[in-house]
Amino acid sequence: YIVRYTKVKRAHELTRQDYHMLRDSYKELEEEYQSSLASLEDLTARYEELTKSRESMKRLAYTDYLTGLPNRTAFSEMLDNIMLTIRNEEIIALMDIDIDDFKDINDSLGHAYGDELLLDITHRLKQVLDENDYLARIGGDEFIILTQNLDDTSSYDEKIQRVKELFTKPFLLLAKEYYISVSIGVAFAPRDGKNSQTLIKNVDAAMYMAKANGKNTHACYDASFHQKLTEKIEIQFELRKALEQNELVLFYQPQLDLDTMKIVGFEALVRWNHPTKGLLFPDEFIYVAEENGLIIPIGKWVIRTACLQLKEWSQQYPDLIMAINLSAKQFKDKNLLGMIYDIIEETQINPGNLEFEITETVALEDIEYTDATIRELNKIGVRFSLDDFGTGYSSMSYLKRLPISNLKIDKSFLDAGMIDTSDQKIIQAIITLARNLNLNVIAEGVETVDQ
């Protein structure tokens, strides 16, 4: 009995030991399991965080930060995918919309108001979109609309017109109304390009052609555009050399007083004596100078050369007037007044014999600046003419406010005035208006006795 009891007791003790060992092992396994669960939850949380970060980075990489629109990268990938799967009978369109003179808005009002304008433009563009359209901002002042499922290219004219109409209404910035224009290039696939790179290059060429045609218009791509753009680049390069090598010349158009039949002044007109192309007129190169900023040094050269000629002529004809055109960029240049004062001092001319001409469009773009600038030069005797009168806004209130001396009737009225009674009435109305405001009238481009 004692022996059997001893064996049972020993077996019981061994069983207890095994139990405690198993219990301890279970606890270790439980701890490992809980630790694994925590690690899994941590890994899951980190994975979700990385996924969110990746999606956020992708959004940043594919989204324009200001407008929230797809950016150039997103647009390029979208177009790539479409062009890879485009069917033979399918037509897609690209509309490249570039804001005219956007840099001037940023420079004059500040980038904050430039951004506000871009947001307003984005809002307006969204109003003309439908389910077939994809709008992106591909540059600082450049938007693009990709349109799919077109039946034919002619049906796209309506959308182009709707986009242009968006810009007929003013934008409100700094509690003032600003009229903004755009230049639009249009290209169609597969007609104008069978891959995305070619299509983007061609729609870009169409947009630049619209700008070359005077801005505020649109142009559909044509194969000849690349040749014209090449010529434009050549003009830009050669124009810099022309200024350095004295290839620019001034012609002087006489101004005749019809009462006395005597010459009372001259208008200085710039020409380019090109070494291979001969004599070039302003409409062949001034637009390029406006775009690339060369108009500022060219304008300075014109003013200085004309004043030197005025000084020479005034020794024999002291009352002779010299009229000089100011372009939009020249007139807005912050150094304009200082440059004019320096040239007057250098050439020692009588400021009262100097007259500058600005167009209605330039004058009315910023009426406060125009008024202040003219009055500042009026103080030393310099006079101003309003050029191309009747072709722009022709606001009577602005005309009354601006301290100008002359109105110039645009040549187009005189050309048509001999056969169109409406133009004759307009000319008579301008003359009557000018006389009532004590302004002189200059008729531009008189070439016949009848005119």
Side-chain angles (χ1 to χ4, degrees), residues 305-322:
T305 304
C307 286
L308 286 171
Q309 184 64 71
L310 176 62
K311 177 64 177 177
E312 182 182 335
W313 283 340
S314 62
Q315 294 174 8
Q316 187 173 356
Y317 306 99
D319 296 327
L320 205 63
I321 301 297
M322 180 64 76

Side-chain angles (χ1 to χ4, degrees), residues 41-88:
E41 289 176 359
D42 183 54
L43 286 171
T44 303
R46 287 172 63 191
Y47 174 76
E48 291 175 351
E49 185 179 343
L50 286 171
T51 302
K52 289 179 180 178
S53 296
R54 186 177 66 179
E55 291 174 352
S56 177
M57 290 175 68
K58 185 176 180 180
R59 281 196 300 271
L60 287 173
Y62 285 82
T63 305
D64 176 55
Y65 75 96
L66 176 65
T67 62
L69 294 174
N71 61 13
R72 177 179 283 273
T73 302
F75 167 76
S76 297
E77 289 193 10
M78 177 79 167
L79 184 60
D80 283 339
N81 293 332
I82 291 174
M83 296 303 290
L84 286 172
T85 58
I86 189 171
R87 301 183 304 274
N88 290 333

